[in-house]
């Protein structure tokens, strides 16, 4: 069952001076099944960040539709967007976006506090998630007291605690060392195995190779996609590398 349907998606920006129009997205079409782990790759300026912002309801498309569980995201009123994002989407950012004046525990609670959930419910959810992610001993610490990898685990916990329909990750390994990146990718795979749907924008071939499918964006369109099938991470890595080589050399026959 498709949880996300993107059809004919377009986004055109007009510059402030001169009125020059730039097509960030031209005609993007794809769907995501419930429980999928999809990576989105492409060169800088290809449109992948614009796509993520529209999926996150942080930006409005110029044309086309984004349907999340049958709901047209572009039709949601501006006054209801924050609540929609909080209730349906989980976010994992490159720079963690944790508040240094809050403990790890309070950072994770924040979406539920904003939703007005009772403390007992929050506490019950946090207990299970913190144990699963291995951060129970960190909850009373502040973000500046823990490592980058631990911060990203806290960010994943915050993304999961609302039981989102979809987790959106923007370059989640970008600020991590190789060991922390490996740990996070293992964590994403574990989280995905429980049925959570993940869309991850990344420049990292290694990060993308743990996904079940990779979408390649070029010049504002989905140019190609790869499926893992029964292949290993190493085989997926090689497929992605070969595809990226063709993309960067202007190859049209993949």
């Amino acid at each position: 069952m498709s949880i996300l349907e993107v059809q004919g998606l377009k986004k055109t920006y007009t510059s402030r001076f001169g009125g020059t129009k730039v097509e960030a997205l031209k005609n993007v079409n794809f769907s995501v099944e419930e429980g999928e782990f999809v990576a989105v790759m492409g060169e800088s300026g290809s449109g992948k960040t614009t796509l993520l912002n529209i999926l996150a309801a942080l930006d409005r498309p110029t044309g086309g539709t984004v349907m999340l569980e049958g709901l047209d995201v572009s039709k949601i009123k501006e006054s209801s967007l924050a609540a929609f994002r909080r209730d349906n989407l989980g976010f994992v950012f490159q720079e963690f976006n944790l508040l240094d004046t809050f403990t790890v525990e309070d950072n994770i609670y924040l979406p539920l506090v904003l939703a007005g959930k009772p403390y007992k419910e929050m506490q019950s959810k946090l207990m299970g998630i913190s144990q699963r992610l291995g951060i129970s001993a960190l909850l009373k610490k502040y973000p500046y007291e823990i490592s980058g990898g631990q911060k990203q685990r806290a960010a994943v916990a915050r993304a999961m605690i609302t039981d989102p329909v979809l987790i959106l990750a923007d370059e989640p390994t970008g600020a991590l060392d190789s060991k922390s990146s490996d740990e996070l990718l293992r964590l994403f795979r574990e989280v995905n195995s429980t049925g959570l749907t993940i869309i991850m924008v990344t420049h990292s071939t290694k990060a993308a190779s743990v996904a079940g499918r990779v979408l390649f964006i070029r010049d504002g369109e989905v140019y190609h996609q790869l499926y893992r099938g029964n292949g290993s991470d190493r085989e997926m890595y090689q497929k992605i590398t070969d595809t990226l080589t063709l993309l960067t050399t202007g190859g049209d026959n993949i």
Side-chain angles (χ1 to χ4, degrees):
M1 176 185 172
S2 292
I3 201 171
L4 179 72
E5 291 276 356
V6 177
Q7 296 184 337
L9 198 65
K10 298 178 182 179
K11 181 63 181 181
T12 303
Y13 293 102
T14 303
S15 64
R16 293 178 63 187
F17 305 103
T20 305
K21 291 188 176 182
V22 177
E23 280 189 300
L25 298 175
K26 294 177 182 177
N27 183 32
V28 174
N29 299 278
F30 68 92
S31 61
V32 176
E33 302 294 310
E34 186 174 5
E36 264 200 289
F37 184 177
V38 179
V40 180
M41 300 192 79
E43 294 181 301
S44 295
S46 61
K48 61 186 185 301
T49 299
T50 300
L51 173 61
L52 191 72
N53 286 340
I54 291 174
L55 297 182
L58 295 169
D59 199 357
R60 300 276 193 178
T62 305
T65 58
V66 175
M67 307 290 290
L68 184 65
E69 291 194 315
L71 176 67
D72 188 343
V73 175
S74 65
K75 299 278 180 68
I76 300 172
K77 293 180 180 179
E78 199 71 36
S79 58
S80 303
L81 277 176
F84 168 79
R85 286 191 290 265
R86 184 189 65 223
D87 295 340
N88 294 278
L89 305 173
F91 298 94
V92 182
F93 303 96
Q94 178 176 338
E95 298 299 333
F96 321 123
N97 285 20
L98 299 175
L99 299 174
D100 275 339
T101 54
F102 284 17
T103 62
V104 168
E105 180 178 48
D106 289 338
N107 268 285
I108 297 169
Y109 278 151
L110 192 56
L112 297 182
V113 172
L114 294 173
K117 299 296 183 183
Y119 180 70
K120 281 189 177 180
E121 180 183 334
M122 295 193 297
Q123 196 175 33
S124 175
K125 283 191 170 188
L126 178 62
M127 188 177 299
I129 289 173
S130 63
Q131 288 175 350
R132 190 194 310 176
L133 302 189
I135 57 172
S136 297
L138 306 176
L139 296 177
K140 300 302 181 182
K141 292 181 179 290
Y142 288 86
Y144 56 82
E145 297 179 305
I146 62 178
S147 70
Q150 291 169 332
K151 288 178 185 177
Q152 200 59 296
R153 281 177 173 263
V156 172
R158 182 183 57 194
M160 290 174 58
I161 202 164
T162 58
D163 298 319
V165 173
L166 178 65
I167 286 183
L168 299 171
D170 185 11
E171 298 285 359
T173 63
L176 302 178
D177 59 37
S178 59
K179 181 181 177 183
S180 296
S181 293
D182 290 346
E183 289 176 355
L184 179 68
L185 294 173
R186 279 196 298 271
L187 180 61
F188 266 20
R189 178 169 274 161
E190 289 170 15
V191 167
N192 176 242
S193 71
T194 67
L196 267 174
T197 309
I198 301 173
I199 297 179
M200 173 180 66
V201 165
T202 182
H203 279 100
S204 167
T205 301
K206 187 173 184 180
S209 66
V210 306
R213 178 162 54 122
V214 182
L215 297 178
F216 296 90
I217 305 288
R218 186 172 78 170
D219 299 329
E221 297 183 84
V222 176
Y223 176 68
H224 187 61
Q225 59 181 327
L226 288 174
Y227 286 87
R228 167 182 295 279
N230 295 320
S232 66
D233 287 358
R234 180 174 293 183
E235 290 169 328
M236 190 66 163
Y237 184 98
Q238 190 58 54
K239 284 182 182 179
I240 295 168
T241 300
D242 293 343
T243 301
L244 289 173
T245 299
L246 285 169
L247 282 171
T248 54
T249 56
D252 291 318
N253 297 309
I254 295 180

